[in-house]
């Protein structure tokens, strides 16, 4: 029984470490400071972030399938799965997204003040799936 517990614990820790170390590519406007702050938030959480400056974010969003009504200032892709992260989605929600490969994308629409890179998180930030269904509250 003790051996099973230890194996289960190690497997869980491995999954968490894997999720936090995921590589993410973020497309952002080169003049946007809040985008840089979100990149810093993700790096602090352990993600490997490659930032690509783009002056044509609407083309990036269209290519990646971001619903127009869910747009924000930057768009990211989980390199391994192709899942899309739109806007100031917290690292905890990204971790949850990676654990659910059937979810194609999540967004923190607009530029909410209670999101990473925009302001202090207050536990009321709603992240939604591209279908419009609530995904997380952080």
């Amino acid at each position: 029984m003790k051996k099973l517990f230890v194996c289960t614990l190690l497997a869980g820790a491995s999954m968490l470490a894997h999720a936090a170390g995921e590589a993410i590519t973020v497309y952002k406007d080169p003049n946007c400071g809040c985008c840089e702050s979100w990149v810093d938030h993700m790096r602090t959480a352990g993600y490997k972030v490659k930032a690509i400056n783009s002056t044509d974010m609407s083309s990036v969003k269209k290519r990646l399938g971001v619903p127009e009504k869910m747009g924000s200032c930057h768009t990211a892709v989980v390199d391994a799965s192709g899942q899309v992260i739109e806007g100031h989605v917290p690292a905890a929600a990204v971790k949850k997204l990676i654990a659910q490969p059937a979810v194609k994308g999540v967004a923190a629409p607009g530029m909410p003040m209670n999101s990473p890179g925009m302001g202090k998180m207050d536990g009321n930030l709603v992240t939604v799936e591209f279908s419009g269904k609530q995904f997380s509250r952080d």
Side-chain angles (χ1 to χ4, degrees):
M1 183 71 157
K2 186 176 181 181
K3 198 176 203 181
L4 177 63
F5 175 75
V6 170
C7 288
T8 303
L9 185 63
L10 289 173
S14 173
M15 284 178 24
L16 290 176
H18 177 70
E22 286 282 345
I24 295 173
T25 300
V26 60
Y27 300 89
K28 63 177 203 58
D29 184 287
N31 301 310
C32 185
C34 68
C35 295
E36 282 297 327
S37 294
W38 184 80
V39 167
D40 291 343
H41 166 77
M42 295 301 291
R43 286 182 176 146
T44 298
Y47 291 90
K48 297 171 187 148
V49 182
K50 176 182 177 182
I52 298 174
N53 289 327
S54 174
T55 55
D56 188 8
M57 286 304 299
S58 61
S59 292
V60 170
K61 293 173 190 314
K62 186 175 182 176
R63 177 174 52 86
L64 295 173
V66 176
E68 196 172 309
K69 65 183 178 185
M70 294 188 185
S72 185
C73 55
H74 58 267
T75 305
V77 178
V78 178
D79 293 352
S81 66
Q83 293 167 293
V84 179
I85 305 155
E86 179 65 13
H88 294 269
V89 175
V94 172
K95 179 176 157 184
K96 182 179 174 183
L97 172 68
I98 292 168
Q100 298 181 36
V103 178
K104 299 303 177 197
V106 295
M111 297 176 72
M113 291 307 298
N114 60 336
S115 63
M118 290 295 297
K120 185 177 177 175
M121 302 262 310
D122 62 6
N124 292 308
L125 176 66
V126 175
T127 301
V128 295
E129 293 180 22
F130 283 178
S131 67
K133 177 182 164 189
Q134 181 173 325
F135 184 73
S136 71
R137 181 179 290 272
D138 300 283

